Amino acid sequence: MKKGGTAGTGATGRRGLLKRAAFGGVVAATGALAAPQVSRAQTVTWRFQSTWPARDIFHEYAADYVKRVNEMGGGRLRLELLPAGAVVPAFQLIDAVHAGTLDGGHGVSAYWFGRNKAFSLFGTAPPWFRDANNYLGWFHYGGGEALYNELITDILKLNVVGFQNGPMPTQPLGWFKNPIERVEQLRGLKFRTVGLATDLFNELGAAVVALPGGEIVPALERGVIDGAEFNNPSSDRALGFPDVAKVYMLQSFHQHTETFEILFNKPKFEALPAELKAILKYASESNSADMSWKLQDRYPKDLLEMTQRQGVRALTTPRPILEAQLQAWDRVVARLEGDTSSPAAGPFFKKVCDSQRDWCRRTGVFFLRNEAPSVLAFNHFFARG
């Protein structure tokens, strides 16, 4: 009996072990299946505000970035996009991200120009860059990113992490009631611009007013300003410029290159796991490429809409004005580089300019020698009678 009992107890023990093992397998399988549910339950949602009105194509570019992050975040990180003014006015975005009132945002470095003039060198530098993609080359491979981080972290002590992306084409001189045909017409003109372009137009005699995108057209309509620039045909059309002015002057050196800036609160960014940090970074680079393709479709279409259906006269800025801008740039840069009394200019400003000039001199020589003239090819294929 004892032997049989032992055998029985052994069999029962084995059966119990098998049951427990089977049950454990079910638990393990259930746990494996449940893991995504746990991940979704732990989704981090960040408030991400742009500096652009919801109707502007710039806000659409911000939405394109957010879409990439949310799709790649795997339910662990989600950005909630808000338009300018939803939490703070456009010009207060960096302060809100620094304080953690906002988790992140989409704008341009030139908007923080009042904090330190060197900010405008990151995205709206003098026109020594061939184009905005050439600027991004300097930022990522010519030492620009280290200088940018030195400015925001060491000099200004800002709790933000920033990415530069989105190469913009040359910006038009802007919108006016009458054509700008001579440099003298800029003297005394109440004109909207931002960043280092304010110094440039002041140098040319204009009275500069800095306004965020959503406030420009109302100011132009009321006569608070006489002329204004914003950025591109799609933004300008969406914001309503053709309703208040009919002269659109194309070509300018005031903002020959510009890029966007994506900001995040630094403590929150640094608390993320490495893979989510990588998503925020590489989504910015993907968004940058996509934007450079999208604008090629949209900007020409909107310029045609304005000129063919809205009565807009698109004129080329005369060469003497372009030359006067370049000469004014020489004076502005020399003054800011030599201003050792101001923490917003002086040695650091010159340090960034020197780095940019070295990059542009080296890369410019190559591309000018290497690239066949695009005007020659365009005229050959498309300008023949």
Side-chain angles (χ1 to χ4, degrees), residues 140-156:
H140 290 289
Y141 289 96
E145 188 171 18
L147 290 167
Y148 173 76
N149 290 332
E150 181 180 347
L151 174 63
I152 62 176
T153 302
D154 301 336
I155 296 176
L156 296 176

Side-chain angles (χ1 to χ4, degrees), residues 126-352:
W128 38 51
F129 288 101
R130 184 171 54 93
D131 56 25
N133 203 44
N134 186 220
Y135 161 80
L136 286 173
W138 168 78
F139 185 83
H140 290 289
Y141 289 96
E145 188 171 18
L147 290 167
Y148 173 76
N149 290 332
E150 181 180 347
L151 174 63
I152 62 176
T153 302
D154 301 336
I155 296 176
L156 296 176
K157 314 293 186 188
L158 291 170
N159 281 322
V160 300
V161 171
F163 306 124
Q164 298 263 313
N165 82 347
M168 306 179 199
T170 294
Q171 297 182 31
L173 183 66
W175 293 86
F176 305 90
K177 303 291 185 183
N178 299 296
I180 302 297
E181 299 170 336
R182 304 179 311 281
V183 178
E184 293 74 23
Q185 290 176 266
L186 295 174
R187 292 174 189 158
L189 189 80
K190 292 177 291 184
F191 186 74
R192 182 273 175 191
T193 191
V194 294
L196 281 173
T198 61
D199 287 55
L200 178 73
F201 278 98
N202 281 331
E203 186 68 29
L204 293 169
V208 178
V209 180
L211 296 170
E215 297 178 21
I216 305 170
V217 169
L220 195 57
E221 186 174 28
R222 296 195 310 269
V224 175
I225 53 178
D226 304 313
E229 60 80 40
F230 183 64
N231 189 278
N232 66 82
S234 296
S235 291
D236 292 353
R237 183 169 176 242
L239 294 175
F241 279 92
D243 298 330
V244 297
K246 295 300 182 185
V247 175
Y248 195 28
M249 304 294 299
L250 303 178
Q251 298 186 14
S252 180
F253 282 124
H254 77 282
Q255 286 181 325
H256 182 58
T257 59
E258 187 170 17
T259 56
F260 289 117
E261 177 185 60
I262 292 172
L263 295 173
F264 291 103
N265 177 267
K266 189 173 184 177
K268 293 179 181 179
F269 178 85
E270 291 184 341
L272 291 174
E275 64 270 22
L276 294 185
K277 290 179 186 175
I279 285 172
L280 293 176
K281 174 181 171 62
Y282 296 129
S284 170
E285 295 178 7
S286 168
N287 175 229
S288 187
D290 182 67
M291 177 200 138
S292 72
W293 307 326
K294 178 185 282 191
L295 67 82
Q296 294 177 55
D297 174 54
R298 298 280 285 279
Y299 292 2
K301 285 180 180 177
D302 282 310
L303 182 59
L304 284 174
E305 284 292 320
M306 290 190 293
T307 56
Q308 294 179 357
R309 293 179 174 81
Q310 294 181 273
V312 171
R313 297 171 63 196
L315 307 174
T316 301
T317 300
R319 186 182 177 96
I321 294 176
L322 298 177
E323 291 173 344
Q325 286 181 326
L326 292 175
Q327 293 161 9
W329 269 119
D330 286 339
R331 298 191 294 273
V332 167
V333 171
R335 183 170 63 249
L336 291 174
E337 286 184 327
D339 186 3
T340 56
S341 65
S342 172
F348 181 75
F349 191 94
K350 185 177 188 304
K351 181 180 179 181
V352 178

